[in-house]
């Protein structure tokens, strides 16, 4: 993606970089390009390249490592939201093209019903407990247009493989994940009463793992499940969903 080689936006704070797992500005830019490239490939594959007149949402955008490339690449109107007000302030400061808004940890979002043609969320459903997952899937169904398409990443088998190499989640095998379906492990460092360190994260937060069978069984309540793409976004799988037409 040669059009993203020159980056003119300012550097985020180290706190903002740390929250998204970036060590420095260069890694933030590099990872953003990689993730955008993977998403662009999926947009092409599922014939949904954003076009002028369409509305696209980057849900849980952080400091916009994918949001900025989205806005640079497509003529669609790009929206972004996150619970971290400092991240949204960074995007607002560095782009006049992106409609970036602070959201709450619980629905609803500040958007009308059936508003978005495409919704993208990377590493968001990887942190929700089960009740929050359900609330937010329902909210995505509310704001997506009929036949709208969604790309939501989840941590599944490929993520477990990487974690095992790093000595993480060694007690969770693929077989255990298949048996449990949904595994949420709370982040013990999370302090919902510390808005400086955890801005906007006012309820339970941790690491969530999904089996494909669980996603197929539970998420079909809200959407048509088009496909689950292994390692479609880094080492996370991408669940491709389509909004059902209402009867």
């Amino acid at each position: 993606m040669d059009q993203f080689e020159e980056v003119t936006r300012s550097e985020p704070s180290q706190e903002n970089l740390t929250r998204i797992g970036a060590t420095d500005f260069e890694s933030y830019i590099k990872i953003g390009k990689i993730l955008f490239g993977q998403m662009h490939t999926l947009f092409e594959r599922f014939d949904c390249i954003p076009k002028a007149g369409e509305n696209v949402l980057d849900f849980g955008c952080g400091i916009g490592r994918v949001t900025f490339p989205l806005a640079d690449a497509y003529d669609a109107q790009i929206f972004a939201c996150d619970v971290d007000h400092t991240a949204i302030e960074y995007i607002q400061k560095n782009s006049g093209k992106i409609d970036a808004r602070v959201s709450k940890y619980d629905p609803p979002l500040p958007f009308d019903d059936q508003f978005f043609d495409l919704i993208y969320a990377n590493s968001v459903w990887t942190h929700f407990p089960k009740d929050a997952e359900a609330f937010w899937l329902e909210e995505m169904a509310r704001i997506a247009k009929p036949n709208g398409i969604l790309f939501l990443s989840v941590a599944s088998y490929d993520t477990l493989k990487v974690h095992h190499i790093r000595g993480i989640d060694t007690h969770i095998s693929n077989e255990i994940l298949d048996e449990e379906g949904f595994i949420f492990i709370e982040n013990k460092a999370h302090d919902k009463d510390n808005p400086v360190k955890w801005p906007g994260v006012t309820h339970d937060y941790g690491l969530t793992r999904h089996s494909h069978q669980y996603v197929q069984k539970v998420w079909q309540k809200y959407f048509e499940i088009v496909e689950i793409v292994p390692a479609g976004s880094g080492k996370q799988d991408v669940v491709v969903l389509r909004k059902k037409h209402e009867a």
Side-chain angles (χ1 to χ4, degrees):
M1 298 292 173
D2 293 339
Q3 65 265 43
F4 306 127
E5 288 305 313
E6 183 178 352
V7 178
T8 58
R9 56 187 180 270
S10 62
E11 292 194 21
S13 69
Q14 188 57 52
E15 290 80 7
N16 282 135
L17 291 170
T18 300
R19 287 189 194 109
I20 65 165
T23 55
D24 51 33
F25 187 52
E26 288 71 23
S27 67
Y28 153 74
I29 296 296
K30 180 180 179 180
I31 294 171
K33 291 178 183 178
I34 292 171
L35 293 175
F36 170 77
Q38 291 178 312
M39 278 297 105
H40 181 77
T41 298
L42 291 178
F43 295 167
E44 287 185 319
R45 175 177 168 184
F46 292 96
D47 193 25
C48 60
I49 296 291
K51 301 182 292 292
E54 293 184 338
N55 296 324
V56 174
L57 175 65
D58 185 351
F59 176 66
C61 60
I63 48 176
R65 60 183 173 185
V66 177
T67 324
F68 287 108
L70 283 170
D72 289 341
Y74 307 127
D75 293 328
Q77 175 60 59
I78 306 300
F79 293 80
C81 63
D82 199 279
V83 297
D84 184 348
H85 67 94
T86 67
I88 295 301
E89 289 164 4
Y90 172 77
I91 294 175
Q92 292 171 338
K93 178 182 176 182
N94 284 275
S95 175
K97 295 172 61 178
I98 300 168
D99 186 332
R101 309 185 189 188
V102 179
S103 55
K104 296 182 179 180
Y105 196 74
D106 295 319
L109 293 172
F111 302 112
D112 293 336
D113 294 356
Q114 301 183 8
F115 187 72
F116 289 104
D117 299 273
L118 186 151
I119 298 173
Y120 162 81
N122 182 71
S123 201
V124 177
W125 268 263
T126 55
H127 297 292
F128 284 147
K130 190 173 287 188
D131 58 347
E133 168 174 297
F135 295 152
W136 280 112
L137 286 172
E138 185 173 347
E139 179 68 356
M140 295 297 104
R142 180 187 74 82
I143 62 176
K145 290 182 179 179
N147 211 39
I149 194 162
L150 300 86
F151 298 85
L152 312 182
S153 77
V154 295
S156 193
Y157 309 108
D158 282 283
T159 306
L160 279 181
K161 183 178 180 180
V162 173
H163 281 188
H164 289 169
I165 293 172
R166 297 175 179 172
I168 305 170
D169 287 344
T170 53
H171 63 292
I172 303 175
S173 64
N174 287 355
E175 291 73 23
I176 290 174
L177 181 58
D178 282 334
E179 182 178 347
E180 297 290 331
F182 180 101
I183 299 175
F184 173 78
I185 300 176
E186 187 172 2
N187 185 336
K188 294 181 179 180
H190 171 233
D191 182 359
K192 65 182 180 181
D193 297 318
N194 186 344
V196 175
K197 185 176 181 180
W198 299 90
V201 186
T202 54
H203 297 303
D204 292 344
Y205 177 90
L207 292 177
T208 305
R209 291 82 171 168
H210 295 81
S211 72
H212 288 186
Q213 184 178 16
Y214 174 90
V215 171
Q216 293 278 3
K217 180 180 179 180
V218 176
W219 290 24
Q220 68 175 344
K221 174 183 176 182
Y222 308 95
F223 299 98
E224 170 196 351
I225 300 174
V226 179
E227 188 174 333
I228 301 176
V229 182
S233 182
K235 291 301 180 182
Q236 296 180 14
D237 296 354
V238 174
V239 186
V240 184
L241 307 165
R242 195 172 297 278
K243 169 74 174 289
K244 299 176 181 179
H245 282 278
E246 297 180 0

